[in-house]
Amino acid sequence: MRNLKKFLALVLAMMMVMSLMLTVNAAEPVDFTDSNKINSTYAEAVNVLSALGVVKGDDRGFRPQDTITRAEVAAMLYRIAANDADEEQVKIYSDYDKFPDVPSDKWYAGAVNYCANSEYIKGYSDGTFGAWRDITGYEVLAMTLRVLGYGQ
C-alpha cells in the first residue's frame, strides 16, 4: 500500500508537469549556489522542474535538505495551475485577502490567494493559512489532487 501511494504521488506530479506542455532540455543543469548538495538521484528532477520555472530556489540556493513550507508549495502550484512560471500575473491576486495571516505585501500572497480562490488549498479551522508551517505529504497530495480536478 505504501508503494502504491508513492507511485500515485509520482504519477500525479508527472501529470502536473506534463500539463504545462513545455519542452525542456534536462541535460543543462540549473546553477544554484548550492548545486553540489543536490543528490544525483534527484538532479534530473531538479533540473527539469527548475527549467520549467516550477521551482526557483532563493538567495541561499535550492536548499535540498530543508523542509518545504505551505507557502512554497502554494507558489509551485500557482506556477503550474496558472501557467505563469515567470509570475507575471501573480501580483493581481495579492490583495484577495483570503487568509488573515497572509498580508498582501508578502512574496507568497498572490500565489496563496490564487490557489485559495481556486479551491486548490485550504486553511486551518481557525481561518489561517499557516504559510511558514512545514507541509505534510498528505497536504501536498490533497492540494495536487484538487489542482488535477479531483475536488473534495
Side-chain angles (χ1 to χ4, degrees):
M1 185 68 163
R2 185 176 181 177
N3 287 335
L4 179 62
K5 290 178 184 179
K6 287 181 181 180
F7 177 75
L8 177 60
L10 176 63
V11 169
L12 293 173
M14 288 175 39
M15 288 173 50
M16 287 176 61
V17 171
M18 296 306 243
S19 72
L20 291 173
M21 302 235 182
L22 296 173
T23 304
V24 175
N25 183 357
E28 291 190 30
V30 175
D31 189 26
F32 292 109
T33 58
D34 60 350
S35 291
N36 61 325
K37 295 180 181 175
I38 298 172
N39 183 313
S40 61
T41 304
Y42 305 108
E44 185 175 359
V46 171
N47 289 335
V48 170
L49 291 175
S50 60
L52 289 170
V54 175
V55 297
K56 298 185 181 228
D58 60 20
D59 58 343
R60 294 177 291 164
F62 184 68
R63 299 180 287 130
Q65 288 83 19
D66 287 5
T67 57
I68 192 164
T69 66
R70 291 171 55 84
E72 291 167 332
V73 171
M76 289 186 281
L77 291 175
Y78 166 79
R79 292 176 196 134
I80 293 169
N83 198 19
D84 187 15
D86 294 328
E87 297 182 347
E88 294 174 1
Q89 304 294 317
V90 74
K91 292 284 185 202
I92 295 170
Y93 309 102
S94 292
D95 60 357
Y96 275 28
D97 297 327
K98 289 292 186 177
F99 301 103
D101 64 333
V102 179
S104 61
D105 62 339
K106 296 295 185 185
W107 69 266
Y108 53 83
V112 169
N113 288 324
Y114 173 88
C115 290
N117 192 58
S118 300
E119 298 185 357
Y120 301 147
I121 62 174
K122 307 282 184 193
Y124 292 104
S125 59
D126 65 357
T128 63
F129 178 67
W132 291 108
R133 287 186 181 180
D134 291 342
I135 194 162
T136 67
Y138 290 123
E139 289 172 323
V140 173
L141 184 57
M143 292 174 186
T144 303
L145 286 171
R146 289 185 203 114
V147 169
L148 294 172
Y150 284 92
Q152 307 299 325

